[in-house]
Amino acid sequence: MNQWIDIHCHILPAVDNGSVNMKQTKNMLKIAHEEGIHSIIATPHYGVGCRNPDQEELKRKLELVREEAKQIDESFCIELGNELYFSDDIIEHLRKKKALTLAGTRYILVEFASDEAYNTIKTGLHRLLIYGYLPVLAHVENYECLYQNYEGIYDMIRLGVYMQMNISSITGGYANRRAGHCRKLIEYELVHILGTDAHSDYVRAPRIMEGIEVIRKKYGADLIQKLLTENTNKLLQNQYI
Ligand SMILES: [Fe+2]
């Protein structure tokens, strides 16, 4: 039995553009469990100036999802966080505890617009570090300014930023530009954590086995263990990766 931990998943029902209802959430839980995922951090979107779900509602729904998860497996663990859309005000929202860190740790999952300028991303993440947070850049493969910009990514890692890649992005085959980019990111050791970024039980389902096979064949099982269990477990324990 594999023990993968998914730190990026839109599994709470009807709170963002992820799961639309509890039925879909249940299906997502079943799929995730079949794929060997035993812990999930639910990460609904949060953006300053956006209509964010009420935190009490998130906690209430978290408990419902936890109950469903227990029906599948007694030890199935569901935690809560946010996927934060970066803006200068996000720090204030974090400090006032309106926006959530990942599972109550110092780690935060942060995203930017895919066409955001490199300096905006780097400076923004640096500011979060200065305030004592440990930022994980969501789906590092998605940003135009980071395409083939390995030095740019490395510079952010040197500052203390962690990189999360969506595991499905590597499954496109050799002709696929994004999959090729993902292989390079893995090869150059620029990824700390793999996640599903699942949004539903069909198009963007919490499936990881196909991606795992691609990485295992090319880079070995140890790397999978590191990116889906060891590092994610350190994150959950609030330890440095
Ligand atoms: Fe996401």
Side-chain angles (χ1 to χ4, degrees):
M1 178 67 188
N2 294 311
Q3 300 282 292
W4 316 125
I5 301 169
D6 184 15
I7 65 128
H8 186 172
C9 192
H10 301 266
I11 198 162
L12 289 196
V15 293
D16 62 357
N17 62 342
S19 168
V20 292
N21 54 32
M22 195 45 112
K23 189 173 169 234
Q24 191 166 69
T25 294
K26 274 193 216 175
N27 287 339
M28 289 171 79
L29 285 168
K30 275 185 208 149
I31 293 168
H33 190 256
E34 280 163 17
E35 297 275 311
I37 296 169
H38 77 103
S39 293
I40 292 174
I41 305 182
T43 50
H45 291 284
Y46 187 101
V48 176
C50 302
R51 238 190 80 227
N52 296 302
D54 179 66
Q55 228 181 79
E56 288 313 305
E57 189 192 344
L58 290 184
K59 285 175 185 161
R60 194 175 53 78
K61 288 190 172 176
L62 172 71
E63 289 311 317
L64 295 174
V65 176
R66 280 178 168 164
E67 277 169 36
E68 289 300 334
K70 284 226 168 358
Q71 303 285 321
I72 296 169
D73 183 339
E74 213 22 64
S75 62
F76 204 161
C77 171
I78 315 292
E79 297 289 345
L80 187 58
N82 274 134
E83 181 176 14
L84 308 167
Y85 190 86
F86 184 84
S87 65
D88 287 334
D89 297 335
I90 201 75
I91 293 168
E92 199 193 324
H93 284 237
L94 279 163
R95 285 164 75 84
K96 287 185 175 164
K97 306 211 181 301
K98 289 186 195 169
L100 297 168
T101 67
L102 293 172
T105 67
R106 287 168 65 199
Y107 286 91
I108 48 175
L109 184 65
V110 190
E111 70 166 339
F112 294 79
S114 59
D115 61 352
E116 191 55 271
Y118 175 74
N119 273 339
T120 308
I121 296 181
K122 186 178 171 183
T123 313
L125 294 169
H126 193 200
R127 280 195 62 205
L128 291 162
L129 279 159
I130 289 168
Y131 275 86
Y133 297 102
L134 300 175
V136 179
L137 180 62
H139 33 66
V140 55
E141 74 278 17
N142 282 359
Y143 304 98
E144 283 165 29
C145 66
L146 299 181
Y147 182 66
Q148 292 186 338
N149 182 6
Y150 310 114
E151 219 158 285
I153 298 171
Y154 184 66
D155 278 348
M156 290 194 282
I157 293 174
R158 250 195 333 216
L159 287 176
V161 176
Y162 299 95
M163 301 295 164
Q164 179 260 314
M165 192 180 94
N166 290 355
I167 190 154
S168 60
S169 299
I170 206 166
T171 59
Y174 276 84
N176 184 292
R177 178 179 177 259
R178 192 175 59 166
H181 177 45
C182 287
R183 284 194 297 273
K184 286 275 180 252
L185 293 176
I186 294 274
E187 217 166 293
Y188 297 155
E189 299 181 11
L190 298 173
V191 177
H192 300 94
I193 289 173
L194 294 166
T196 67
D197 195 8
H199 278 68
S200 80
D201 57 350
Y202 52 105
V203 187
R204 297 170 78 184
R207 296 199 185 279
I208 55 170
M209 288 316 291
E210 199 186 336
I212 283 176
E213 268 321 291
V214 173
I215 297 170
R216 198 188 331 249
K217 268 188 200 154
K218 216 165 155 44
Y219 310 103
D222 286 355
L223 187 65
I224 289 292
Q225 204 62 30
K226 187 173 162 195
L227 302 182
L228 272 167
T229 303
E230 286 168 28
N231 289 353
T232 45
N233 199 34
K234 281 182 185 160
L235 182 152
L236 268 183
Q237 304 300 320
N238 205 15
Q239 295 166 356
Y240 283 108
I241 293 171

